[in-house]
Amino acid sequence: MSNPLKDALNQRRAKNELRLGTTHDPKYTLVLDHDCTTPPVTVITGTERECEDVIKNSVKKTADFRSFYRRPEEPSPSVPEAIKEQVQNLCPCDKRSQKKCLTKRFPVWRIMRKYKWRTDLPSDIVSGLTVGIMQLPQGMAYALLAELPPVVGLYMAFFPVLIYFIFGTSKHISMGTVALCSLLTGSVISRFYNPTFASTVLGTNLTNSLSDAERNISTDPSDPIEVELPNHVKFDIAASVCLLVGFVQLFMGIFRMGFITTYMSDPMIGGFTTGAAVHVGTSQVKYVFGLHIPRSDGVFQIIKTYVLIFHHIAETNVPTLIMSLVCMVIIYIIKVQINQRFKAKLKFPVPVELIVVVAGTMTSYFLNFSENYGMKIVGEIPRGLPKPSIPSLPSTSVYTADVFIIAIVAFSQCVGLAALMAKKHGYSYDANQELIAYGAGNIFGSFFSCYPYAASVSRSSVQESAGGKTQLASVFSATLVLIVIVSIGPLFQTLPNCVLASIITVALRSLFLQFLDLPRIYRTSVYDFLIWIVTFLAVVVLHVDYGILLGMLFSFFTVVIRSQRTKADNLEKLEAVQLYQDSSKFIQTGSVSGVRIIGYNSPLYYANGSLFVKQVYTLTGVIPEKKKRQAKRQLKAERIRMSQKNSTAALLPNMMSTDDSSMDRSDLIRQTIACASLMEDNLLHHIVLDLSGVSFIDSVGAKVLKQLVEDYQSVDVEVLFSNINDEVWRVMEATEFLKSYEERMYLTTDDAVDAINTKMKQANELGLILNRGSSNQMAEEDDELLTTRVSVI
């Protein structure tokens, strides 16, 4: 005698197999089994094959679409082939390619070939001279920031500028000294003020003698001892840093690594530059107050510096402080209240920095500030150009990390400014060629005692607003600087250092104004706000080097956090626009009974795979393991109940009539079939994962999807996929995911839903036939036992 519960479950399993498509061309039969001898009666033959034919003609699967429309992929070149191709690109053989390569590597040829001499030349001359006037005071001031003699700033405004004119692709940026590169270079040089590092470049005997001299002139014996390095040693250190930075940038340009700046977000750069401005301002406080204190370096540099400043604040040189404040007020009034306010009416800005430098030099010369008031002045400025010399590269292990940081920071500042100017004036620039230009300029400048250079925001703005058309303007600015170096440079020997410190301090105003952007950044993105704050605090509290590294790491960390906080969405269809949207955010959406469509707008990888699975469980309301445990408990309870019923029937054979037994078993069959039908109508039977928002997956993500499919399959729920992009498909193919589940991939979500509806329609037709046959037979033979069983042959 057959088991009615088992027969009903077999019937449900047969319908599930038809719906899920797990059999191939089956034959469904309805069996009326009274004595286990009645032959099976065939009711439906090949229903699933008909269903598959309908699906094949009405919906599009991803595999079919790719096989028909996708171009065949070219095989990836081997490592030797890739190197050979790169060498051929650098050194092409045919003349046409060589000409194109030379034009690309020397953009000056392309720019000057289209140069309009009558209209562009006067504008470039005016713009170049205006920028040259700004180069003079800024160059000397920023060289002081780099712990170098001010004349180095003049060299920086000449040698690298000419190289960029030949190799650069931007027409409007002004190259030379900038505060950030000067600060980073000064940080490297000041590291050798420590007697331990100083002995590596000076020798132990000379270091000890200089340390003893420093102890004699120190105002406080408790101050840390630092060694005052000779200028030629500072030149060697700065030139070696410049040479290594040039090689790094040249290497990056040749191997097309200009994309590296994409890892430095705007909030990170904003926090970094503002924090660096705090360092720059702090380094100038001692010049403004006329204090003689050692320079601090390393972690907590700013805290150490202000401790020394407040410890020596009583030693302030009053005339120096008064002159500093006067210069700051004059520079601020003319630069901000006149140049910026009346920018549209002025043909070129008032060169207030040069005016202050000339006035300060003349006043110091006639009043003899150095001897009468103890002001620290610039000192000797050699006349003429320096002789070229090969950098000695002393103790490169001390600043290897700084070289990479300076190279990346300088490039990010330059390429951002170049992109802004190119977009504003409608021409293109090449980031990789820009790297080559910066690298070549630094390598060439290192032979003339220069340190790493970059593009200045203020000078570039002046060059553009003054009417500059091409980089020929930089040639005229360099010519003006050359005249000063060769002829009138020594006239600035009496210039007080506090004047240069005042120029730097006022120039930091634009960087400190970035604090005003914080409310807007917070409203836009909390993550960007946190990146700005963390980077700023890391730079200020720790150090510039650690700040930029921590800022980049925290930026990467926020990307991981964002992917982990991304929530899967329950998608439903908006019939009016034929789109699937989040049902919690949109109205007039419609769902399909028993089908759940889930979208995910984030990459699926090792960091968020488990979170994605939990979110799918939450949205579907079905946890496979929990459902299987419930099924086991129900089956165990049913077995116990049937066992107890059979035992009762065996003990009381005379008390139960055949008709009553048959009636109870018939009721059980009817109730089981009804419950199965009710479960089929209401319970989840399909999940569609819309992967349109998944940009990529890794091997862990593929394993997560595979496990998800298998877990739901074990509880008669099929998982389908739609909107799969090429990168996700490639990973699925590489991990052999497609080998098992290619038939579940549909081109669009509509295709997946249409396939489900077609399968459900066929399954419902089978259910009606089975139920109708059972009802007719039981109406005709009410006293007989009817069991229904669906078997797959």
Side-chain angles (χ1 to χ4, degrees):
M1 187 68 64
S2 62
N3 189 330
L5 179 60
K6 183 178 180 180
D7 292 341
L9 293 176
N10 285 338
Q11 177 183 355
R12 182 186 175 192
R13 186 175 296 108
K15 293 173 67 178
N16 286 338
E17 289 175 347
L18 173 62
R19 186 186 65 225
L20 300 178
T22 57
T23 61
H24 298 281
D25 200 14
K27 185 180 296 182
Y28 295 92
T29 59
L30 178 65
V31 181
L32 303 180
D33 189 2
H34 291 270
D35 53 3
C36 296
T37 59
T38 306
V41 178
T42 301
V43 176
I44 300 176
T45 303
T47 305
E48 185 189 10
R49 177 59 56 193
E50 296 175 7
C51 176
E52 290 183 356
D53 291 340
V54 173
I55 293 175
K56 185 176 181 180
N57 295 328
S58 61
V59 300
K60 297 178 288 295
K61 291 191 175 181
T62 307
D64 298 335
F65 170 78
R66 291 177 63 89
S67 62
F68 189 78
Y69 292 102
R70 177 78 175 178
R71 295 181 185 273
E73 295 184 1
E74 297 181 359
S76 301
S78 61
V79 175
E81 291 176 347
I83 296 176
K84 183 178 179 180
E85 182 181 357
Q86 187 68 25
V87 173
Q88 289 178 351
N89 292 333
L90 295 175
C91 303
C93 298
D94 58 295
K95 293 183 178 180
R96 184 177 180 181
S97 299
Q98 289 177 352
K99 183 178 179 180
K100 184 178 179 180
C101 180
L102 289 175
T103 304
K104 183 178 181 180
R105 295 304 176 209
F106 298 91
V108 63
W109 168 256
R110 183 177 66 254
I111 294 174
M112 298 308 299
R113 189 175 56 183
K114 300 179 180 179
Y115 192 77
K116 300 176 183 179
W117 292 94
R118 290 187 177 182
T119 58
D120 293 349
L121 183 59
S123 299
D124 283 340
I125 292 176
V126 174
S127 175
L129 295 178
T130 304
V131 173
I133 292 173
M134 291 184 63
Q135 285 270 28
L136 297 176
Q138 286 190 2
M140 291 189 290
Y142 290 139
L144 189 67
L145 179 62
E147 299 291 325
L148 293 167
V151 69
V152 176
L154 301 180
Y155 300 156
M156 293 277 294
F158 179 72
F159 294 105
V161 172
L162 295 180
I163 299 301
Y164 184 81
F165 167 71
I166 299 173
F167 294 98
T169 60
S170 176
K171 299 179 182 180
H172 294 88
I173 61 176
S174 175
M175 308 300 293
T177 55
V178 294
L180 199 53
C181 291
S182 301
L183 174 68
L184 294 173
T185 304
S187 176
V188 173
I189 294 176
S190 64
R191 203 169 299 164
F192 287 89
Y193 293 169
N194 184 291
T196 302
F197 290 130
S199 61
T200 62
V201 293
L202 296 176
T204 305
N205 294 331
L206 183 57
T207 301
N208 292 335
S209 62
L210 292 175
S211 300
D212 294 337
E214 180 67 24
R215 288 189 182 93
N216 293 332
I217 65 174
S218 177
T219 57
D220 192 334
S222 64
D223 289 345
I225 301 300
E226 64 176 15
V227 178
E228 184 64 30
L229 299 177
N231 285 341
H232 69 88
V233 176
K234 294 182 180 180
F235 288 158
D236 289 340
I237 298 172
S240 63
V241 172
C242 186
L243 180 65
L244 295 177
V245 168
F247 280 131
V248 170
Q249 291 177 333
L250 189 63
F251 177 86
M252 292 169 61
I254 292 175
F255 288 93
R256 302 179 181 275
M257 299 176 64
F259 65 89
I260 198 169
T261 56
T262 57
Y263 296 104
M264 301 177 67
S265 62
D266 290 342
M268 197 214 79
I269 293 176
F272 173 71
T273 54
T274 307
V278 177
H279 278 271
V280 173
T282 301
S283 67
Q284 300 306 301
V285 171
K286 65 179 182 180
Y287 297 110
V288 172
F289 284 85
L291 301 176
H292 181 76
I293 59 175
R295 173 162 177 163
S296 301
D297 191 46
V299 182
F300 309 121
Q301 176 182 356
I302 289 182
I303 298 175
K304 296 176 183 177
T305 302
Y306 278 109
V307 168
L308 290 173
I309 289 173
F310 287 111
H311 185 66
H312 293 274
I313 195 67
E315 304 169 10
T316 300
N317 188 305
V318 177
T320 300
L321 178 60
I322 293 174
M323 190 168 188
S324 300
L325 295 176
V326 170
C327 291
M328 289 183 190
V329 171
I330 294 174
I331 294 173
Y332 173 78
I333 292 175
I334 297 179
K335 191 172 184 178
V336 177
Q337 302 300 328
I338 295 178
N339 286 348
Q340 292 186 7
R341 180 171 296 185
F342 303 101
K343 181 178 181 180
K345 298 181 180 180
L346 296 174
K347 292 184 178 180
F348 55 89
V350 179
V352 59
E353 292 94 343
L354 184 61
I355 293 174
V356 169
V357 167
V358 173
T361 303
M362 294 179 62
T363 306
S364 175
Y365 176 78
F366 288 109
L367 297 181
N368 200 1
F369 282 168
S370 177
E371 295 183 3
N372 295 335
Y373 301 104
M375 284 190 186
K376 191 173 183 180
I377 60 176
V378 168
E380 181 182 359
I381 297 179
R383 188 189 302 271
L385 295 174
K387 294 181 180 180
S389 60
I390 299 176
S392 60
L393 301 177
S395 304
T396 55
S397 59
V398 177
Y399 47 85
T400 302
D402 300 84
V403 167
F404 288 95
I405 293 174
I406 295 173
I408 295 174
V409 168
F411 171 63
S412 63
Q413 180 171 339
C414 294
V415 77
L417 194 56
L420 179 64
M421 293 296 181
K423 183 179 181 180
K424 185 176 182 180
H425 293 275
Y427 62 88
S428 61
Y429 78 100
D430 187 346
N432 295 309
Q433 180 61 29
E434 286 289 296
L435 270 171
I436 293 176
Y438 308 150
N442 280 318
I443 292 173
F444 183 76
S446 66
F447 295 101
F448 297 93
S449 304
C450 294
Y451 63 90
Y453 76 120
S456 169
V457 177
S458 60
R459 293 196 305 269
S460 299
S461 301
V462 170
Q463 180 170 322
E464 186 262 342
S465 61
K469 301 298 182 182
T470 66
Q471 273 297 325
L472 190 61
S474 63
V475 176
F476 294 107
S477 67
T479 303
L480 179 61
V481 173
L482 177 63
I483 295 173
V484 174
I485 294 174
V486 173
S487 59
I488 63 176
L491 297 178
F492 294 101
Q493 291 181 358
T494 58
L495 173 65
N497 286 345
C498 62
V499 176
L500 298 178
S502 301
I503 294 174
I504 295 174
T505 304
V506 177
L508 298 177
R509 174 180 173 273
S510 60
L511 296 178
F512 286 120
L513 287 178
Q514 294 183 115
F515 279 110
L516 301 179
D517 294 335
L518 285 179
R520 177 186 58 81
I521 296 174
Y522 182 81
R523 291 191 299 268
T524 303
S525 172
V526 176
Y527 290 105
D528 289 346
F529 177 81
L530 292 176
I531 291 172
W532 200 103
I533 294 297
V534 169
T535 306
F536 171 79
L537 292 177
V539 171
V540 171
V541 176
L542 299 178
H543 195 263
V544 178
D545 301 345
Y546 298 114
I548 191 172
L549 293 177
L550 287 176
M552 294 182 70
L553 291 176
F554 186 76
S555 298
F556 296 152
F557 179 71
T558 59
V559 174
V560 177
I561 294 298
R562 294 184 198 191
S563 66
Q564 291 184 334
R565 290 180 62 86
T566 302
K567 294 183 179 180
D569 299 325
N570 179 36
L571 304 182
E572 293 183 1
K573 190 172 184 179
L574 278 164
E575 294 291 346
V577 292
Q578 298 296 309
L579 291 176
Y580 287 86
Q581 298 293 343
D582 187 357
S583 59
S584 64
K585 299 178 181 178
F586 290 82
I587 60 175
Q588 299 182 2
T589 58
S591 61
V592 181
S593 178
V595 179
R596 187 75 69 183
I597 303 172
I598 298 175
Y600 195 60
N601 294 317
S602 173
L604 185 58
Y605 61 116
Y606 68 94
N608 62 355
S610 59
L611 297 174
F612 170 73
V613 172
K614 293 179 180 178
Q615 291 179 18
V616 172
Y617 289 165
T618 302
L619 289 177
T620 59
V622 176
I623 302 177
E625 291 297 327
K626 184 176 180 180
K627 188 172 181 181
K628 284 190 287 187
R629 289 196 299 267
Q630 291 176 349
K632 289 180 180 179
R633 287 196 295 267
Q634 291 176 357
L635 181 60
K636 183 177 180 180
E638 185 64 23
R639 287 177 177 174
I640 294 174
R641 190 183 68 81
M642 293 299 296
S643 175
Q644 293 175 348
K645 185 173 182 179
N646 292 334
S647 300
T648 304
L651 293 173
L652 302 173
N654 297 327
M655 297 178 62
M656 179 178 293
S657 65
T658 304
D659 293 340
D660 293 337
S661 176
S662 299
M663 184 60 65
D664 292 341
R665 295 174 66 184
S666 300
D667 292 339
L668 176 61
I669 293 173
R670 293 190 184 96
Q671 293 173 4
T672 303
I673 294 176
C675 292
S677 178
L678 184 63
M679 292 172 66
E680 292 292 337
D681 292 337
N682 294 335
L683 291 184
L684 178 72
H685 50 73
H686 276 87
I687 299 173
V688 179
L689 294 181
D690 185 345
L691 303 183
S692 58
V694 180
S695 57
F696 72 89
I697 64 172
D698 62 356
S699 58
V700 177
K703 290 181 180 179
V704 167
L705 294 179
K706 182 178 180 180
Q707 190 63 43
L708 204 63
V709 171
E710 294 177 351
D711 289 345
Y712 275 108
Q713 186 68 52
S714 65
V715 292
D716 291 339
V717 177
E718 184 179 12
V719 179
L720 305 179
F721 303 91
S722 66
N723 297 314
I724 305 168
N725 63 34
D726 287 344
E727 179 61 23
V728 175
W729 183 273
R730 184 190 63 79
V731 176
M732 287 181 171
E733 190 174 29
T735 55
E736 297 186 352
F737 183 86
L738 297 180
K739 188 175 181 181
S740 303
Y741 306 112
E742 184 176 329
E743 292 299 319
R744 298 171 181 262
M745 311 294 176
Y746 289 88
L747 188 60
T748 66
T749 304
D750 270 330
D751 291 322
V753 173
D754 290 343
I756 294 171
N757 290 334
T758 304
K759 291 179 181 180
M760 290 302 299
K761 182 179 179 182
Q762 297 292 334
N764 290 334
E765 291 178 357
L766 174 61
L768 289 175
I769 294 175
L770 293 174
N771 291 332
R772 188 183 304 116
S774 299
S775 299
N776 293 337
Q777 185 69 18
M778 294 180 71
E780 295 175 358
E781 303 177 8
D782 188 38
D783 57 338
E784 296 182 359
L785 175 63
L786 174 66
T787 62
T788 305
R789 182 182 65 201
V790 177
S791 61
V792 179
I793 301 176

